[in-house]
Amino acid sequence: MSTGNEFQRQAIAAHVKQRLAGPARAILGFQELLLEQARDFGLTYMQSDLERIGAAARQLNGLIDRLVEGEACSQEGGEADAEARLRHDLRTPLNAIIGYSEMILEDAGDLHQHTLKEDLGVMLAAAAELLKQVDAIAGLSRRQAIETLQPKDQTGIDAAELERLLFKAENHVWSNQGGKILVVDDVASNRDLLSRRLRREGHHVVTADSGLSALKRLNEDEFDLILLDILMPDMNGIEILSRLKADNRWRHVPVIMISGLSEVAAVARCIEAGADDYLTKPFNPILLRARINSTLEKKRWLDREHRYLQQIETEKRRADSLIHAILPDQIVARLQGGEEIIADRFEEVSILFADIVGFSPIAAKLPPSDLVRRLDGMFSRFDLLTEQHRVEKIKTIGDAYMAACGIPEPAADHADRIVALGKSMLQSLRDAPPDHDRFRVRIGIHSGPVVAGLIGRLRFVYDVWGETVNIASRLESQGVADRIQISEATRRALHRQWTLEPRCALDLRGIGTIETYLVR
């Protein structure tokens, strides 16, 4: 690889520095970790040796830092002598690190129960690697790092490819879609300079000269990005940032802090408070453009994601509403809880059947649309009544309506509720507008045990089965128009005082004789 290109030389030199400084940082980091572990485990005898390793590691890091920063060693006595002294200075802490680490390993043979032994091994490996690279490190003092590298190190980084990618990135055009940016700064010249620069980049800019003014602007309009100064008289930037992130209206708006403060503590505090980025004054125009465009692009993706999530949430609510309209809430909850087979036996349930008297002749006379409209009107009223009386609608079967009380949640007053429902159903038909072909229904009710469960995978239904269902259906089919016929079992299950009129004893095939009553 040619190293004639200055950029490629710099890239390789940076890579070299990173490779040489990295192990030195690792040694210091592992030493600090080992010291903490030794204290935790009560291994006081090794703390002094670890502290010596720490002192040597700090000395080594200091030497490498000065070389990386370009502080050449003293040329006193000639270049060769200076480099020899540097090699000596580098080897001294490395030898100390290796020596004390090996001593700790020898003295503490039972360290296998701790991670100390493994950490010592890593530290020794890093020190041994640096010891082999002492010539290359010393070469940094005269800017000959590349030449002192071994061939395999030179090929470790493709500087030409990196240059190509960076060059391409430099010409990369961010989305030309400008953002709406709020600039908050109490210094007029700063606001003016920043605003003009941003407007030239195609953004729409609104300014605020204080924290309170910024909050007012936010109440009046929506923004894609906020550039927020830290040092302001009435309310500092971190206080405003905390308010923004605590408010659902503004939490999603990205904030880049701008300040003359370059201390790491200030940057860290802002990031912890929710800032998306931090820029120090005076601004580098290229960095400013890159960070603003990057933040706006991220905001656009987040907005898009937010819209998708809202759409998903709307669809989910619609699906939930649909499934709750089909199934009882308790059954929906069990399905959502992962239950796949839902089948229960209930000992005390009341079943109601309602059927239209003379439906076939009426249907034959009505146009299909009118028939469906009238059926829908009647069954819709019945649906509302089931909710009012806390009875579960089971299904419609042609012109018949089936409901149950006592499932899926047992109810002691199941018979009273379902009789009340039957009376309300009859009353709703009497209250309907006068019509020559007004629907009239027969209602039959019986109480007893049933099995209830969910069947089907497509158009599934929560249904009930058993003799109780069959008897209720027979009571309806042998009932009286505009009246409710109940069985003796239902009469016994009633808790409230209802006016009942004994009717007859029905002989049901396969079941026997059942006393029946009409509810008045």
Side-chain angles (χ1 to χ4, degrees):
M1 177 179 60
S2 169
T3 57
N5 181 291
E6 181 57 27
F7 171 81
Q8 295 180 28
R9 288 179 62 84
Q10 291 178 7
I12 293 173
H15 176 63
V16 170
K17 292 171 186 175
Q18 182 177 316
R19 287 199 55 183
L20 296 178
R25 303 281 188 274
I27 291 171
L28 188 57
F30 274 100
Q31 180 272 337
E32 292 169 349
L33 192 62
L34 280 163
L35 195 57
E36 290 173 9
Q37 292 181 84
R39 288 174 185 147
D40 292 343
F41 294 139
L43 304 174
T44 54
Y45 65 92
M46 68 169 60
Q47 288 186 15
S48 59
D49 287 344
L50 285 171
E51 285 168 356
R52 292 187 184 96
I53 292 174
R58 285 188 287 277
Q59 181 186 355
L60 175 66
N61 274 276
L63 280 168
I64 293 178
D65 284 346
R66 286 196 292 277
L67 291 169
V68 168
E69 293 298 325
E71 298 176 10
C73 59
S74 170
Q75 298 299 311
E76 185 179 347
E79 185 176 287
D81 289 344
E83 195 165 303
R85 282 197 298 276
L86 182 56
R87 289 195 184 93
H88 170 268
D89 291 345
L90 288 167
R91 284 195 179 97
T92 299
L94 280 170
N95 287 331
I97 291 166
I98 293 170
Y100 284 116
S101 299
E102 289 175 343
M103 284 174 59
I104 293 174
L105 276 176
E106 291 170 2
D107 294 344
D110 60 345
L111 286 178
H112 59 276
Q113 72 271 33
H114 306 309
T115 58
L116 299 173
K117 196 170 183 178
E118 185 178 338
D119 293 344
L120 279 167
V122 174
M123 201 161 62
L124 275 169
E129 176 62 25
L130 275 176
L131 198 57
K132 287 194 296 185
Q133 297 288 346
V134 164
D135 288 342
I137 300 173
L140 286 172
S141 65
R142 47 186 166 79
R143 297 297 186 188
Q144 292 180 345
I146 299 172
E147 287 74 8
T148 55
L149 279 175
Q150 297 174 5
K152 66 176 183 178
D153 296 319
Q154 293 192 33
T155 57
I157 176 173
D158 189 344
E161 174 65 10
L162 177 61
E163 184 183 24
R164 187 185 67 78
L165 290 174
L166 286 176
F167 181 73
K168 181 181 177 183
E170 193 173 276
N171 290 292
H172 173 74
V173 178
W174 292 90
S175 169
N176 288 327
Q177 186 180 353
K180 192 166 186 177
I181 301 176
L182 175 63
V183 175
V184 188
D185 197 317
D186 62 318
V187 180
S189 58
N190 288 343
R191 288 197 309 274
D192 183 56
L193 178 63
L194 194 51
S195 301
R196 290 174 60 183
R197 192 186 297 281
L198 293 174
R199 288 189 182 107
R200 287 183 61 188
E201 300 287 340
H203 303 292
H204 177 72
V205 182
V206 175
T207 61
D209 58 2
S210 67
L212 294 176
S213 174
L215 294 176
K216 185 180 176 192
R217 295 278 186 276
L218 284 163
N219 272 314
E220 295 169 346
D221 209 344
E222 293 186 355
F223 295 93
D224 298 315
L225 172 65
I226 301 170
L227 295 180
L228 184 59
D229 191 16
I230 293 182
L231 299 174
M232 290 187 292
D234 60 343
M235 184 185 299
N236 68 54
I238 294 178
E239 288 175 322
I240 301 172
L241 181 63
S242 300
R243 286 201 186 191
L244 297 180
K245 296 306 172 185
D247 195 313
N248 285 332
R249 294 172 297 170
W250 305 321
R251 181 176 298 166
H252 65 287
V253 182
V255 178
I256 296 179
M257 305 301 291
I258 51 176
S259 175
L261 294 173
S262 58
E263 285 76 8
V264 172
V267 179
R269 180 68 188 89
C270 291
I271 299 298
E272 285 173 356
D276 294 80
D277 209 336
Y278 191 101
L279 285 169
T280 55
K281 302 173 183 174
F283 304 113
N284 178 304
I286 296 174
L287 277 180
L288 177 69
R289 182 190 306 121
R291 287 180 165 177
I292 286 177
N293 286 335
S294 170
T295 305
L296 287 174
E297 189 69 13
K298 190 168 28 174
K299 167 75 165 38
R300 292 184 191 108
W301 278 104
L302 287 174
D303 287 346
R304 209 167 297 163
E305 180 183 319
H306 183 64
R307 287 195 295 273
Y308 288 149
L309 288 175
Q310 282 185 319
Q311 188 176 347
I312 291 171
E313 186 61 32
T314 301
E315 294 298 328
K316 183 177 181 303
R317 281 199 297 270
R318 188 179 301 167
D320 286 347
S321 174
L322 183 61
I323 196 169
H324 278 284
I326 295 172
L327 299 174
D329 292 347
Q330 298 92 331
I331 300 302
V332 173
R334 290 167 66 178
L335 282 174
Q336 292 174 339
E339 208 168 331
E340 294 184 355
I341 298 176
I342 295 177
D344 305 297
R345 180 178 178 83
F346 298 90
E347 297 300 333
E348 294 292 335
V349 173
S350 289
I351 304 293
L352 175 149
F353 275 92
D355 194 53
I356 298 174
V357 179
F359 177 73
S360 296
I362 297 174
K365 289 190 298 182
L366 291 174
S369 58
D370 285 355
L371 178 65
V372 172
R373 179 179 52 77
R374 291 183 60 182
L375 281 174
D376 178 63
M378 183 184 73
F379 287 147
S380 295
R381 289 195 296 276
F382 287 178
D383 287 349
L384 292 175
L385 292 172
T386 58
E387 288 185 350
Q388 291 174 11
H389 292 282
R390 290 176 295 151
V391 172
E392 290 295 338
K393 171 191 174 181
I394 301 301
K395 58 187 172 184
T396 57
I397 313 160
D399 61 318
Y401 192 91
M402 179 182 177
C405 191
I407 58 169
E409 186 175 343
D413 59 347
H414 56 89
D416 294 287
R417 281 198 229 164
I418 212 156
V419 169
L421 170 65
K423 288 179 72 69
S424 295
M425 292 165 75
L426 293 177
Q427 186 62 46
S428 73
L429 293 175
R430 284 194 289 270
D431 293 343
D435 191 313
H436 179 69
D437 293 320
R438 180 176 68 85
F439 285 147
R440 303 175 67 198
V441 299
R442 292 187 305 263
I443 294 177
I445 298 174
H446 180 59
S447 302
V450 297
V451 171
L454 193 66
I455 57 170
R457 290 293 178 268
L458 298 172
R459 298 186 181 89
F460 47 80
V461 63
Y462 183 65
D463 211 342
V464 290
W465 304 274
E467 190 176 76
T468 300
V469 176
N470 297 333
I471 292 174
S473 177
R474 303 267 184 88
L475 289 173
E476 174 274 314
S477 62
Q478 298 185 37
V480 179
D482 301 327
R483 301 296 297 272
I484 304 169
Q485 178 166 246
I486 68 171
S487 65
E488 172 64 19
T490 300
R491 187 194 70 76
R492 289 197 305 271
L494 292 172
H495 292 84
R496 291 166 52 189
Q497 292 296 321
W498 298 90
T499 302
L500 303 178
E501 176 187 327
R503 188 188 175 211
C504 62
L506 293 180
D507 185 15
L508 304 182
R509 189 176 62 183
I511 296 172
T513 303
I514 290 181
E515 292 293 333
T516 64
Y517 304 84
L518 295 176
V519 180
R520 299 181 65 184

